[in-house]
Structures are given as C-alpha cells and as structure tokens.
Amino acid sequence: MEKSTQPEPVSSVLKVFSILQALGEQKEIGVSELSQRLMTSKATTYRFLQTMKSMGYVAQEGEADKYRLTLKLFELGSKSLEYVDLVELADKEMRFISQQTNEALHLGALDGNGIIYIHKIDSGYNLRMQSRIGRRNPLYSTAIGKVLLSDREEMFVRDTLADVEFIKHTENTLENTDQLIAELERVRAQHFAQDNEEQEPGLRCIAAPVYDRFGHIIAGLSISLPTIRFDEQRLDYYVGLLQTAGRNISAQLGYNNYPA
C-alpha cells in the first residue's frame, strides 16, 4: 500500500474538522459511526473526541457512546463577528472625524501583552504617522493601550506586563508597571488617554474607549498627529470627537451607559 505523503499534523487537522462537520450535521453521533465516516479506527476517533471534549468543543452524553457539539464554536464565531461589526461601525465614525481633522485615526484591540491595529484611516497631510493594519505596539506607551487597560484589575495589568520590557522609546516613555498603573487612574477619571511623545518623538496620540454590550472595553479609538500640528487648546475638541464616536459605536454594539 502506498504510504501517504501528507504531513501528520495536517492530517490531524483534517480529522478534527471532519469530526466538527459530522457533529454539525447530526445532533449527536457515536464513535463507531463517526469512525466509519472518517475511515479511521475507533481508538483514533475516540482519542480525538476526548481531546476535543477536554477543550470544551465536544460534550459526551453521560457515559453513553454519543457525542455532540457544545456552544464553544458559536462563542468563537460570535466573537469574530463582533470584531467584523466593530470595524464596520467604527469606519463611519472614523471617517467623520477624518473629515473634521484630516488627521490619522486608528482602531486598536488588546492582543496578548500589546495592542494590534484592526482598522485605520490615514492622515491627509504629507507629514503623518506611518502605520498598518495588523501592526503591534506596546500597551504602556500608547494611548490605545492605556485605554484598553483602564477597566482592568491591577493584578491583570501586572500579570499581562510581567514579562514585558519597558523600552524607553523617548524620554517621556513610562519606565515600569507602577508608573503605568498610576497613569491608568487618570485615564479612568478623565475617560480618555494620551501618548505624549511616549512611543515616537514628535507624535501625540489621544484615545477613547469602545465598549461591548456587556460594558467591557474591547477597543480604543485614537487620533494621531505630529506635535507641530497639535494645539493644547484643541485637546478638548479632539477628546469630544473621539468620545462621541466611542459612544455611538458602543451604543450600536448594545451598550448605552457610556460615561459622560
């Protein structure tokens, strides 16, 4: 018999998705029937099912030889759709702010111990911030990062940044977690965050939060501009634009208690 040249990890992934598809087509299915559909041994099928059960994707009906899908896949799909909705909803608000200011707008979300940009609108000026969707930046030196951490418990902040080196990008960059936690108190009180040349020299950023339907901050919306175009007297204007946008996006995601 000709030996398969398909890598084993790929073969395993195919088996997992075949099991998910089979369970999706039937309310419940037994190991024997499933192994026949997969054309693999009952022992192998059982091991796959037990692993998927331990991860919460499959449930076993008591001690019976029947398995069914849990709602964990639905939960994952819902989270993905939420971010798709988030980008679509944010785009309209970001374009309005862009029309008013002609400056760069970013939408960022928490990604491990950093932030990741999931949407952006470039500035119309030649002198502007260089960025890309999918780019990661630190939590401690960005306005979006501070916003994302502002509704988290202190222990979460410390655990998240436990292995993070606080690199001094500029002389204004925060140096440790204690300084960041003190800064987060101000962010909570004023309901917006700033990056005052902390990530890049000559760049100011201001960010406001976006909430999901449960009242958790799931994203930060920011405006970025060079210090030569930043007027401190216009800070309240920028904050107002961002918070109005954050309030509108949050409301459409189901949260109507955005702080005044």
Side-chain angles (χ1 to χ4, degrees), residues 11-221:
S11 176
S12 297
V13 171
L14 290 174
K15 285 186 174 66
V16 168
F17 279 97
S18 295
I19 291 173
L20 292 174
Q21 184 173 349
L23 291 172
E25 293 170 354
Q26 294 182 219
K27 183 176 180 181
E28 56 185 33
I29 191 170
V31 175
S32 297
E33 182 182 350
L34 191 53
S35 65
Q36 291 175 5
R37 292 183 61 170
L38 297 177
M39 292 185 292
T40 189
S41 69
K42 289 178 62 176
T44 298
T45 303
Y46 178 78
R47 286 198 300 271
F48 274 101
L49 286 168
Q50 289 300 308
T51 300
M52 296 166 73
K53 176 183 173 183
S54 69
M55 296 178 67
Y57 289 96
V58 168
Q60 187 174 4
E61 297 300 321
E63 297 300 322
D65 185 32
K66 296 286 185 179
Y67 294 82
R68 61 175 175 79
L69 288 178
T70 67
L71 292 177
K72 190 165 185 177
L73 281 174
F74 175 78
E75 178 185 350
L76 287 177
S78 297
K79 288 180 179 178
S80 176
L81 288 173
E82 185 173 74
Y83 279 108
V84 171
D85 291 342
L86 173 61
V87 170
E88 182 178 343
L89 294 172
D91 182 72
K92 177 182 177 182
E93 300 294 332
M94 292 168 70
R95 291 192 183 280
F96 174 78
I97 297 176
S98 176
Q99 291 169 2
Q100 304 303 307
T101 66
N102 207 30
E103 300 292 356
L105 282 301
H106 290 87
L107 184 71
L110 186 66
D111 183 36
N113 58 16
I115 69 166
I116 187 168
Y117 296 125
I118 58 178
H119 191 45
K120 72 164 190 169
I121 295 178
D122 286 325
S123 167
Y125 295 104
N126 291 328
L127 179 60
R128 60 190 179 186
M129 176 183 177
Q130 299 299 318
S131 66
R132 69 179 186 277
I133 295 174
R135 177 182 175 183
R136 283 176 53 89
N137 262 332
L139 287 162
Y140 61 87
S141 58
T142 57
I144 287 179
K146 294 173 187 177
V147 159
L148 292 171
L149 291 177
S150 64
D151 74 336
R152 302 288 187 150
E153 297 291 336
E154 179 177 328
M155 187 56 66
F156 176 89
V157 177
R158 292 191 181 278
D159 288 345
T160 299
L161 299 176
D163 298 322
V164 172
E165 178 186 0
F166 279 63
I167 299 172
K168 288 286 289 185
H169 302 287
T170 76
E171 62 179 14
N172 292 341
T173 307
L174 299 179
E175 298 180 357
N176 52 57
T177 306
D178 289 335
Q179 289 184 358
L180 176 60
I181 288 173
E183 177 74 9
L184 294 179
E185 290 293 333
R186 289 189 287 273
V187 174
R188 293 187 191 98
Q190 63 193 16
H191 203 57
F192 71 90
Q194 294 191 72
D195 158 13
N196 185 10
E197 296 186 82
E198 297 167 50
Q199 179 63 22
E200 295 182 30
L203 183 68
R204 289 287 296 266
C205 294
I206 308 156
V210 174
Y211 293 84
D212 66 11
R213 62 186 181 278
F214 303 111
H216 303 306
I217 295 176
I218 58 168
L221 178 62

Side-chain angles (χ1 to χ4, degrees), residues 191 211-215 247 250-251 254-260:
H191 203 57
Y211 293 84
D212 66 11
R213 62 186 181 278
F214 303 111
R247 180 180 296 106
S250 301
Y255 185 71
N256 294 299
N257 295 313
Y258 200 89

